[in-house]
Amino acid sequence: MNGGLHGQVVDVLGREISAGEHPPGTVLRIDELEARFGISRSVAREVVRTLASIRLVIGRKRVGIVVRPREEWNTFDPALIRWLLLSDRTGQVRTLVELRTAVEPVAAGIAARRASDEDAAKLVGLAERMVATARSGDLESFLAADVEFHALVLSASGNEMFAQLRDVFAEVLRWRTGHGLMPPHPEPVAVRLHCEIAECVRAGDRDRAEGAMRELVAEALEGTLEQLAAVEARDGSAVEARDGSAEEARGGPAEQARADQ
């Protein structure tokens, strides 16, 4: 392993722990980490400190580094969100969308009352940028505007705790695009709802802003789950085809059995 050694090891262990490969109570020993990854003791200790900051592990005297129970993990940490999306995509998407459903509509409604003129104008500008990039199919630029839009709604609400969730929501937006769960051109209804939310915030229409955001989050969940189902079906078909080809190459079960006699 080379380059970004600390980050690479943290990523491997984080994915393994979040996937249940190291159940709660498992002891991770510094010397074993050194041997497995070919890293120095100082790097191994820094890896453990990083995992401990996410509350995945805890150091115990005369025991070692112990994996914590899942209910103790910092599930708001963006890195842990990424790892959980790898191990339980559908479940984690539902969890994140349920959080968004509980927070973002309320934040949009409050933003309609509290947003400054500058923030309201910026929201409208971001919505207009999303319209343009959706038409051109520039998903990378669309994503950048989308992430900024939702972060601004949270901060414009004036609620500091809502604003702290911006990285959590940004992670799921980036993950959706990065894993091919966005259509080539974003859904027109989603683009329209962003525009409606921005206009309602600028107009100070709390009820409509909240309602439009609630509809947007619901649309995002439905679209993401549909795309997930399509990807999983496609992956399953690919596995079946590969297994079938391998069996055919071996001559099929009957011929293989004769060959084994």
Side-chain angles (χ1 to χ4, degrees):
M1 298 176 69
N2 53 49
L5 199 54
H6 164 265
Q8 292 176 40
V9 177
V10 167
D11 191 58
V12 170
L13 290 173
R15 283 189 280 113
E16 290 178 351
I17 292 171
S18 61
E21 293 181 31
H22 304 293
T26 298
V27 177
L28 305 177
R29 304 191 186 282
I30 293 291
D31 56 344
E32 292 175 355
L33 297 180
E34 292 176 45
R36 177 184 174 187
F37 295 104
I39 55 179
S40 66
R41 182 164 293 264
S42 62
V43 171
R45 285 175 172 165
E46 187 59 35
V47 166
V48 169
R49 279 194 287 271
T50 301
L51 295 174
S53 72
I54 309 175
R55 297 183 60 82
L56 291 180
V57 300
I58 187 170
R60 291 185 178 153
K61 289 184 179 179
R62 295 186 294 277
V63 176
I65 311 304
V66 181
V67 176
R68 288 176 176 265
R70 181 167 179 148
E71 58 268 22
E72 296 180 4
W73 298 352
N74 178 13
T75 50
F76 290 103
D77 188 280
L80 181 53
I81 290 171
R82 285 196 299 275
W83 297 330
L84 289 171
L85 282 167
L86 288 172
S87 61
D88 180 18
R89 292 186 296 186
T90 301
Q92 185 66 2
V93 165
R94 286 189 182 279
T95 295
L96 290 166
V97 172
E98 286 169 359
L99 177 63
R100 291 184 64 190
T101 301
V103 172
E104 286 200 271
V106 177
I110 298 174
R113 290 194 296 113
R114 295 180 180 171
S116 65
D117 291 343
E118 180 182 355
D119 282 346
K122 190 173 181 180
L123 272 179
V124 172
L126 287 167
E128 290 172 348
R129 193 194 311 170
M130 293 175 74
V131 171
T133 53
R135 286 174 179 163
S136 66
D138 183 354
L139 291 184
E140 185 174 340
S141 297
F142 181 89
L143 172 63
D146 195 16
V147 168
E148 192 174 351
F149 183 96
H150 288 276
L152 184 54
V153 169
L154 293 171
S155 62
S157 72
N159 185 304
E160 294 177 351
M161 296 186 77
F162 285 176
Q164 288 294 314
L165 293 171
R166 61 184 178 274
D167 291 339
V168 174
F169 296 158
E171 195 58 49
V172 72
L173 293 172
R174 293 191 182 102
W175 175 84
R176 185 177 60 177
T177 299
H179 286 75
L181 300 177
M182 283 285 288
H185 293 271
E187 294 293 341
V189 64
V191 178
R192 174 184 62 77
L193 286 168
H194 281 87
C195 294
E196 184 176 342
I197 292 163
E199 290 295 346
C200 290
V201 169
R202 182 163 65 174
D205 190 333
R206 177 174 183 169
D207 290 342
R208 285 184 58 210
E210 183 171 337
M213 182 64 84
R214 196 173 302 282
E215 186 179 347
L216 175 62
V217 175
E219 190 277 334
L221 173 61
E222 181 180 354
T224 301
L225 291 179
E226 286 179 356
Q227 291 291 330
L228 264 178
V231 168
E232 289 173 354
R234 186 168 63 248
D235 290 348
S237 297
V239 169
E240 289 180 5
R242 186 169 62 248
D243 290 346
S245 297
E247 183 175 307
E248 184 177 346
R250 292 194 303 268
E255 293 184 19
Q256 184 65 39
R258 285 195 296 271
D260 292 340
Q261 291 178 351

